[in-house]
Amino acid sequence: MLEQLFLNAPTAMLLINPITNRILIANKQAEILFSLDRTALTQYTVTQFFPDCLDKLHDFTQQVISEGSAWSSELTIQAANKVVSIGINASQFANNILLSCEDGSITFERHFKSRIESNYRLGLSQWNTDETVFEQIERQNQLLLTAVGDGIYGVDCEGKTTFVNAAAEAIIGWKKEQLMGKKIHDIIHHTHVNGSHYHVHKCPIYAAFNDGAIHSVDNEVFWSQQGKAIPVEYTSTPLTENGTLIGAVVIFRDITKRKRTQDKLLKALKEVDALKHRLEMENAYLQEEINADFNHQYLIGNSHKIKHMMSQIALVAPTDANVLITGESGTGKELIARAIHEASQRNVRPLIRVNCAAIPAELFESEFFGHVKGAFSGASSDRVGRFELADGATIFLDEVGEIPLQLQGKLLRVLQEQQFERVGESLTRNVNVRVIAATNQDLNKLVATNKFREDLYFRLNVFPINSPPLRERIDDLPLLVKHFIDKVCVRLNQPAPQVSMAQMQHLINYKWPGNIRELENIIERQVILSKSNKLNFEFMNKASVIHLKEQLHTKHSNVLNAQQHKQLERNNLIQALKDCRGKIYGEGGAAELLGLKPTTLSSKLKKYTIHRQDFI
């Protein structure tokens, strides 16, 4: 048994002679550690493996001699072309010292006066005739069992306990007297960790003295006296006598700390993978931001409405309040959202954009909240949703009125409780997200027609901001024109052309149904078409007249009576004065717009009691 314990011990062990400085015997773990077989190891001296700490090795040996035992974690060995830090535990018995340590460190047994190998090779005939030698071997056996830090117990062929060392008692909490002569499987190995019964015929420990093979297990539990499951790894080695299997020796160790470390490591790896995936998605978003054609959160203008809007942004940005931006298409609602995000404390993270009008109805939930692998057809891997990606940041829901009614309840939950579940997953996830929504629809009308939840509308509309159309901030037009000309020319790598006052007037007179987006497109087109350093916008007047005629034709397609005709003419004159801001004469005046002589227009205004000063 002593030989089996030594050779199959889970820690590396060397038997050395300090007088000759030679290695006498090595076990299997020592072979693995040094990458040398036992025969090769005996050709080395001990100090060859301690080239960097010979003084510490000497001091350690002296401590063992003087105190009977010692422990050190300051020694290092040279093994397999690498330096390995080790911890050594030493106990002196008879004329020898046993040094052992866990976690792949080296265990030494040192001979002082006589070579232990002579004792080690004593035959059974000598044991029977020499009682002194027998007692010495027995003491060495017991001291070895006591000195080893791993738990060790033996069983006979019936599974009854034959011996238990002190380390085993300490690990499982059972005393030697409580286990001796009893079937130890029924006491410490009766149940799996999941609570199911562990049948004896499936136990690897019993298998060892049935099939004669060594069985190693690294993921089971022993049960302590207090009923606590102790994670262990163990090796069951069969014992034979005259070729007959008589039992087994079990060497085990408590791996609770290692399991905790492994669990923490696995959890950390999962978190790293999640963070990596999140960073990859954030990087993709940032690349989109770089490549997208944005004005970098600049809000161009000095008009009263723009100044009022900027003051609202300054008020709400430092808070976490939800914001609802309303306005016509093309007025720059996303730029307002960006300005709010950049002025908030969340600006260290990117603004996550979601165009609700561009998402298929069946993919809304996955897009918002993510999904797990196999949640639906095509879900080949886990996917992080936009809300999870926006954790700690801001999410911008553009065209929020397009969200399907069946999803609005889940969106409301995120706004109220900051919680959601991925599609196909029961795990509830918490997020901290600020929501900025935008729409060009009248959400009140959608609420009235049961197409939008009223409670969701109130949650989104905590702080409303209106994005004014371009026709209501026409004073900003010169600044916007200059900004877009510079922007386009930088992209096209050409000098910026000029815009005369007369050409600017054409832009001012236009109604801009497409707002700033239309202005940017027109500027870009004219810069490309320009053959000189000046831009021409005369076509804008014709477009305005055609647009007005189309509106009139659509609105009044039926035959009108005299009174309706007069009212229509009066409304037409008023609209022309509005468009021309009260100007009658000259280029860009109402007379030119209507195709009338200035004197004729003045007479009609007098006839209908219309005063041009009301439109200046």
Side-chain angles (χ1 to χ4, degrees):
M1 185 183 67
L2 181 61
E3 180 182 6
Q4 290 294 331
L5 286 176
F6 181 83
L7 294 177
N8 296 293
T11 54
M13 304 179 73
L14 297 177
L15 183 65
I16 67 169
N17 185 328
I19 299 174
T20 60
N21 192 26
R22 306 294 299 184
I23 297 173
L24 304 177
I25 306 174
N27 72 345
K28 296 177 182 179
Q29 288 297 322
E31 291 181 309
I32 296 172
L33 177 64
F34 291 98
S35 297
L36 296 169
D37 60 31
R38 276 174 279 178
T39 303
L41 279 171
T42 58
Q43 306 302 314
Y44 286 82
T45 62
V46 177
T47 52
Q48 281 181 282
F49 294 109
F50 293 85
D52 300 326
C53 56
L54 293 177
D55 292 339
K56 292 180 180 179
L57 179 64
H58 178 268
D59 294 341
F60 179 70
T61 303
Q62 294 303 315
Q63 183 181 358
V64 175
I65 295 171
S66 60
E67 299 179 10
S69 65
W71 183 87
S72 174
S73 61
E74 298 180 352
L75 299 177
T76 60
I77 62 170
Q78 186 77 29
N81 296 322
K82 61 181 180 180
V83 177
V84 181
S85 297
I86 62 171
I88 300 179
N89 185 38
S91 298
Q92 183 176 1
F93 61 97
N95 294 327
N96 309 296
I97 296 177
L98 179 70
L99 295 90
S100 64
C101 65
E102 297 183 0
D103 300 329
S105 301
I106 300 178
T107 302
F108 293 96
E109 186 167 348
R110 183 178 170 210
H111 181 80
F112 283 113
K113 295 181 180 179
S114 61
R115 295 170 63 92
I116 192 173
E117 58 182 348
S118 61
N119 291 335
Y120 190 84
R121 295 172 180 172
L122 288 175
L124 288 176
S125 59
Q126 286 182 279
W127 292 7
N128 294 328
T129 58
D130 192 340
E131 183 179 355
T132 302
V133 174
F134 177 81
E135 291 177 351
Q136 180 182 8
I137 295 298
E138 181 66 19
R139 285 197 303 272
Q140 290 178 352
N141 188 358
Q142 294 299 323
L143 288 171
L144 176 62
L145 293 177
T146 302
V148 174
D150 293 324
I152 303 175
Y153 68 85
V155 292
D156 61 18
C157 59
E158 295 180 358
K160 295 179 180 180
T161 311
T162 56
F163 66 87
V164 180
N165 76 338
E169 290 181 310
I171 294 173
I172 60 179
W174 294 92
K175 295 299 182 182
K176 179 179 179 180
E177 296 77 16
Q178 297 173 300
L179 299 175
M180 292 295 291
K182 298 178 181 179
K183 291 187 176 182
I184 196 167
H185 179 88
D186 298 337
I187 300 175
I188 70 170
H189 205 204
H190 48 77
T191 306
H192 290 287
V193 68
N194 61 5
S196 62
H197 180 64
Y198 204 144
H199 295 284
V200 171
H201 66 274
K202 294 183 179 180
C203 177
I205 296 172
Y206 275 67
F209 52 76
N210 287 327
D211 58 19
I214 297 175
H215 293 264
S216 297
V217 179
D218 59 3
N219 191 26
E220 286 191 2
V221 297
F222 285 170
W223 295 89
S224 70
Q225 187 178 24
Q226 294 76 28
K228 177 183 176 183
I230 303 171
V232 295
E233 64 177 13
Y234 64 84
T235 299
S236 178
T237 304
L239 291 177
T240 60
E241 183 176 8
N242 298 326
T244 303
L245 290 169
I246 61 172
V249 174
V250 181
I251 304 174
F252 68 95
R253 64 175 56 179
D254 183 352
I255 58 172
T256 302
K257 291 183 179 180
R258 191 176 78 188
K259 293 281 287 185
R260 289 175 183 168
T261 303
Q262 288 176 343
D263 291 342
K264 289 180 180 179
L265 179 60
L266 290 174
K267 183 179 179 181
L269 289 174
K270 288 182 179 179
E271 291 177 355
V272 168
D273 287 340
L275 289 173
K276 179 183 177 183
H277 184 55
R278 180 170 175 170
L279 287 173
E280 288 174 350
M281 293 193 68
E282 284 188 1
N283 182 59
Y285 275 104
L286 291 174
Q287 290 296 328
E288 290 180 11
E289 298 281 308
I290 293 171
N291 297 328
D293 192 15
F294 293 121
N295 291 330
H296 308 290
Q297 84 261 7
Y298 295 126
L299 296 174
I300 308 298
N302 289 317
S303 63
H304 171 72
K305 292 205 171 187
I306 285 295
K307 288 181 178 179
H308 174 67
M309 186 176 68
M310 288 181 174
S311 67
Q312 287 183 301
I313 291 172
L315 286 173
V316 74
T319 73
D320 280 338
N322 296 330
V323 179
L324 179 62
I325 305 171
T326 58
E328 299 176 9
S329 294
T331 56
K333 295 187 287 295
E334 184 168 340
L335 292 180
I336 298 172
R338 288 180 177 280
I340 295 172
H341 175 69
E342 290 299 325
S344 73
Q345 296 180 350
R346 298 171 178 262
N347 60 6
V348 294
R349 301 282 308 283
L351 174 71
I352 304 301
R353 299 176 292 115
V354 184
N355 184 358
C356 300
I359 303 174
E362 63 275 10
L363 295 180
F364 259 100
E365 189 172 359
S366 173
E367 188 72 19
F368 276 13
F369 309 126
H371 62 254
V372 296
K373 182 178 180 181
F376 51 84
S377 179
S380 57
S381 62
D382 291 357
R383 185 181 189 278
V384 176
R386 300 296 179 96
F387 271 91
E388 190 173 351
L389 191 62
D391 187 21
T394 306
I395 190 168
F396 174 56
L397 304 179
D398 198 9
E399 303 298 345
V400 71
E402 301 293 335
I403 297 177
L405 190 62
Q406 62 269 23
L407 186 65
Q408 292 177 18
K410 294 186 177 181
L411 177 59
L412 179 64
R413 182 193 176 199
V414 177
L415 297 182
Q416 290 180 162
E417 304 175 14
Q418 299 281 286
Q419 293 181 335
F420 70 94
E421 290 88 26
R422 290 181 180 178
V423 178
E425 185 179 55
S426 59
L427 174 66
T428 298
R429 299 175 183 269
N430 297 309
V431 290
N432 179 11
V433 179
R434 181 186 193 172
V435 177
I436 301 176
T439 182
N440 60 3
Q441 302 182 65
D442 188 342
L443 294 186
N444 281 310
K445 290 183 179 179
L446 294 180
V447 170
T449 56
N450 294 322
K451 293 181 179 179
F452 201 87
R453 292 179 60 125
E454 185 177 33
D455 47 5
L456 177 59
Y457 170 69
F458 290 139
R459 281 285 177 180
L460 293 172
N461 196 34
V462 175
F463 194 93
I465 294 179
N466 180 59
S467 180
L470 182 55
R471 61 181 174 275
E472 294 181 7
R473 45 176 293 206
I474 209 71
D475 292 346
D476 295 328
L477 195 60
L479 290 174
L480 291 168
V481 169
K482 183 180 184 305
H483 171 76
F484 288 130
I485 288 176
D486 292 341
K487 179 181 175 182
V488 172
C489 289
V490 168
R491 189 167 69 244
L492 298 178
N493 193 26
Q494 66 182 53
Q498 302 297 316
V499 179
S500 65
M501 291 299 295
Q503 296 301 320
M504 183 65 72
Q505 193 63 43
H506 291 302
L507 298 176
I508 292 173
N509 293 337
Y510 186 58
K511 294 188 65 174
W512 298 109
N515 293 296
I516 296 175
R517 185 181 293 122
E518 183 182 12
L519 172 63
E520 183 176 8
N521 293 338
I522 288 174
I523 293 292
E524 183 173 4
R525 182 171 68 246
Q526 293 308 109
V527 169
I528 294 173
L529 295 174
S530 175
K531 303 299 182 181
S532 63
N533 64 340
K534 294 184 179 181
L535 297 183
N536 189 312
F537 298 103
E538 291 180 2
F539 71 94
M540 301 296 293
N541 256 348
K542 297 177 183 178
S544 181
V545 172
I546 292 172
H547 179 69
L548 178 61
K549 288 181 178 179
E550 288 176 348
Q551 282 187 322
L552 293 174
H553 177 72
T554 302
K555 189 174 182 180
H556 304 284
S557 58
N558 298 325
V559 177
L560 304 177
N561 59 32
Q563 186 63 34
Q564 289 174 328
H565 185 273
K566 287 182 180 181
Q567 185 61 42
L568 178 60
E569 186 177 29
R570 187 176 191 279
N571 291 340
N572 193 34
L573 293 173
I574 291 173
Q575 186 61 49
L577 287 175
K578 284 182 178 180
D579 291 345
C580 298
R581 304 182 71 183
K583 182 179 179 180
I584 296 177
Y585 303 90
E587 183 178 3
E592 181 183 5
L593 180 62
L594 293 169
L596 300 173
K597 293 181 180 180
T599 53
T600 303
L601 177 57
S602 296
S603 298
K604 287 181 178 291
L605 294 178
K606 186 175 181 181
K607 174 184 175 181
Y608 292 110
T609 62
I610 300 172
H611 305 286
R612 59 177 292 273
Q613 291 82 3
D614 296 337
F615 305 95
I616 298 177

PDB file of all heavy atoms in Angstrom, residues 31 85 120 127-128 402 493 502 510 520:
ATOM      1  N   GLU A  31       7.389  12.617 -12.632  1.00  0.00           N
ATOM      2  CA  GLU A  31       7.753  12.413 -14.030  1.00  0.00           C
ATOM      3  C   GLU A  31       7.070  13.453 -14.921  1.00  0.00           C
ATOM      4  O   GLU A  31       7.671  14.018 -15.837  1.00  0.00           O
ATOM      5  CB  GLU A  31       7.356  11.009 -14.487  1.00  0.00           C
ATOM      6  CG  GLU A  31       8.172   9.898 -13.858  1.00  0.00           C
ATOM      7  CD  GLU A  31       7.738   8.530 -14.366  1.00  0.00           C
ATOM      8  OE1 GLU A  31       6.523   8.246 -14.334  1.00  0.00           O
ATOM      9  OE2 GLU A  31       8.604   7.765 -14.805  1.00  0.00           O
ATOM     10  N   SER A  85       7.146  28.100  -9.381  1.00  0.00           N
ATOM     11  CA  SER A  85       7.072  28.382  -7.947  1.00  0.00           C
ATOM     12  C   SER A  85       6.362  27.241  -7.254  1.00  0.00           C
ATOM     13  O   SER A  85       5.345  26.741  -7.759  1.00  0.00           O
ATOM     14  CB  SER A  85       6.325  29.691  -7.701  1.00  0.00           C
ATOM     15  OG  SER A  85       7.007  30.770  -8.277  1.00  0.00           O
ATOM     16  N   TYR A 120      13.219   0.102   2.159  1.00  0.00           N
ATOM     17  CA  TYR A 120      12.088   0.060   1.223  1.00  0.00           C
ATOM     18  C   TYR A 120      12.033  -1.284   0.516  1.00  0.00           C
ATOM     19  O   TYR A 120      10.969  -1.745   0.113  1.00  0.00           O
ATOM     20  CB  TYR A 120      12.257   1.207   0.214  1.00  0.00           C
ATOM     21  CG  TYR A 120      11.053   1.434  -0.646  1.00  0.00           C
ATOM     22  CD1 TYR A 120      10.000   2.217  -0.206  1.00  0.00           C
ATOM     23  CD2 TYR A 120      10.967   0.840  -1.913  1.00  0.00           C
ATOM     24  CE1 TYR A 120       8.888   2.422  -0.998  1.00  0.00           C
ATOM     25  CE2 TYR A 120       9.858   1.043  -2.706  1.00  0.00           C
ATOM     26  CZ  TYR A 120       8.825   1.833  -2.259  1.00  0.00           C
ATOM     27  OH  TYR A 120       7.730   2.040  -3.046  1.00  0.00           O
ATOM     28  N   TRP A 127      10.125  -9.046   7.279  1.00  0.00           N
ATOM     29  CA  TRP A 127       9.128  -8.412   8.160  1.00  0.00           C
ATOM     30  C   TRP A 127       8.638  -9.407   9.213  1.00  0.00           C
ATOM     31  O   TRP A 127       8.429  -9.058  10.358  1.00  0.00           O
ATOM     32  CB  TRP A 127       7.918  -7.925   7.337  1.00  0.00           C
ATOM     33  CG  TRP A 127       8.245  -6.784   6.418  1.00  0.00           C
ATOM     34  CD1 TRP A 127       9.452  -6.253   6.158  1.00  0.00           C
ATOM     35  CD2 TRP A 127       7.301  -6.038   5.656  1.00  0.00           C
ATOM     36  NE1 TRP A 127       9.354  -5.222   5.260  1.00  0.00           N
ATOM     37  CE2 TRP A 127       8.022  -5.071   4.933  1.00  0.00           C
ATOM     38  CE3 TRP A 127       5.906  -6.103   5.491  1.00  0.00           C
ATOM     39  CZ2 TRP A 127       7.419  -4.161   4.066  1.00  0.00           C
ATOM     40  CZ3 TRP A 127       5.291  -5.199   4.638  1.00  0.00           C
ATOM     41  CH2 TRP A 127       6.049  -4.241   3.930  1.00  0.00           C
ATOM     42  N   ASN A 128       8.457 -10.647   8.783  1.00  0.00           N
ATOM     43  CA  ASN A 128       7.938 -11.648   9.724  1.00  0.00           C
ATOM     44  C   ASN A 128       8.980 -12.052  10.768  1.00  0.00           C
ATOM     45  O   ASN A 128       8.622 -12.451  11.865  1.00  0.00           O
ATOM     46  CB  ASN A 128       7.474 -12.882   8.962  1.00  0.00           C
ATOM     47  CG  ASN A 128       6.278 -12.568   8.091  1.00  0.00           C
ATOM     48  OD1 ASN A 128       5.478 -11.713   8.455  1.00  0.00           O
ATOM     49  ND2 ASN A 128       6.155 -13.250   6.952  1.00  0.00           N
ATOM     50  N   GLU A 402     -44.574  54.502 -35.605  1.00  0.00           N
ATOM     51  CA  GLU A 402     -44.636  53.301 -36.439  1.00  0.00           C
ATOM     52  C   GLU A 402     -44.486  52.008 -35.642  1.00  0.00           C
ATOM     53  O   GLU A 402     -44.549  50.922 -36.210  1.00  0.00           O
ATOM     54  CB  GLU A 402     -43.537  53.352 -37.514  1.00  0.00           C
ATOM     55  CG  GLU A 402     -43.616  54.546 -38.433  1.00  0.00           C
ATOM     56  CD  GLU A 402     -44.848  54.503 -39.328  1.00  0.00           C
ATOM     57  OE1 GLU A 402     -45.363  53.395 -39.578  1.00  0.00           O
ATOM     58  OE2 GLU A 402     -45.305  55.577 -39.763  1.00  0.00           O
ATOM     59  N   ASN A 493     -14.373  68.560 -52.973  1.00  0.00           N
ATOM     60  CA  ASN A 493     -13.035  69.120 -53.155  1.00  0.00           C
ATOM     61  C   ASN A 493     -13.012  70.186 -54.255  1.00  0.00           C
ATOM     62  O   ASN A 493     -12.225  70.107 -55.214  1.00  0.00           O
ATOM     63  CB  ASN A 493     -12.022  68.009 -53.468  1.00  0.00           C
ATOM     64  CG  ASN A 493     -10.585  68.486 -53.364  1.00  0.00           C
ATOM     65  OD1 ASN A 493     -10.306  69.448 -52.633  1.00  0.00           O
ATOM     66  ND2 ASN A 493      -9.682  67.850 -54.082  1.00  0.00           N
ATOM     67  N   ALA A 502     -29.995  88.488 -55.053  1.00  0.00           N
ATOM     68  CA  ALA A 502     -31.151  88.186 -55.905  1.00  0.00           C
ATOM     69  C   ALA A 502     -31.446  86.690 -55.912  1.00  0.00           C
ATOM     70  O   ALA A 502     -32.612  86.271 -55.840  1.00  0.00           O
ATOM     71  CB  ALA A 502     -30.887  88.688 -57.330  1.00  0.00           C
ATOM     72  N   TYR A 510     -39.406  80.669 -51.629  1.00  0.00           N
ATOM     73  CA  TYR A 510     -39.895  79.295 -51.789  1.00  0.00           C
ATOM     74  C   TYR A 510     -40.509  78.804 -50.470  1.00  0.00           C
ATOM     75  O   TYR A 510     -40.096  79.202 -49.376  1.00  0.00           O
ATOM     76  CB  TYR A 510     -38.733  78.397 -52.217  1.00  0.00           C
ATOM     77  CG  TYR A 510     -39.121  76.977 -52.553  1.00  0.00           C
ATOM     78  CD1 TYR A 510     -40.053  76.714 -53.550  1.00  0.00           C
ATOM     79  CD2 TYR A 510     -38.557  75.901 -51.870  1.00  0.00           C
ATOM     80  CE1 TYR A 510     -40.400  75.417 -53.871  1.00  0.00           C
ATOM     81  CE2 TYR A 510     -38.892  74.590 -52.186  1.00  0.00           C
ATOM     82  CZ  TYR A 510     -39.821  74.359 -53.191  1.00  0.00           C
ATOM     83  OH  TYR A 510     -40.176  73.079 -53.501  1.00  0.00           O
ATOM     84  N   GLU A 520     -30.840  71.103 -48.444  1.00  0.00           N
ATOM     85  CA  GLU A 520     -29.519  70.487 -48.601  1.00  0.00           C
ATOM     86  C   GLU A 520     -29.397  69.797 -49.957  1.00  0.00           C
ATOM     87  O   GLU A 520     -28.370  69.900 -50.632  1.00  0.00           O
ATOM     88  CB  GLU A 520     -29.268  69.488 -47.473  1.00  0.00           C
ATOM     89  CG  GLU A 520     -27.887  68.862 -47.527  1.00  0.00           C
ATOM     90  CD  GLU A 520     -27.607  67.953 -46.342  1.00  0.00           C
ATOM     91  OE1 GLU A 520     -28.542  67.698 -45.551  1.00  0.00           O
ATOM     92  OE2 GLU A 520     -26.468  67.485 -46.216  1.00  0.00           O
TER      93      GLU A 520
END
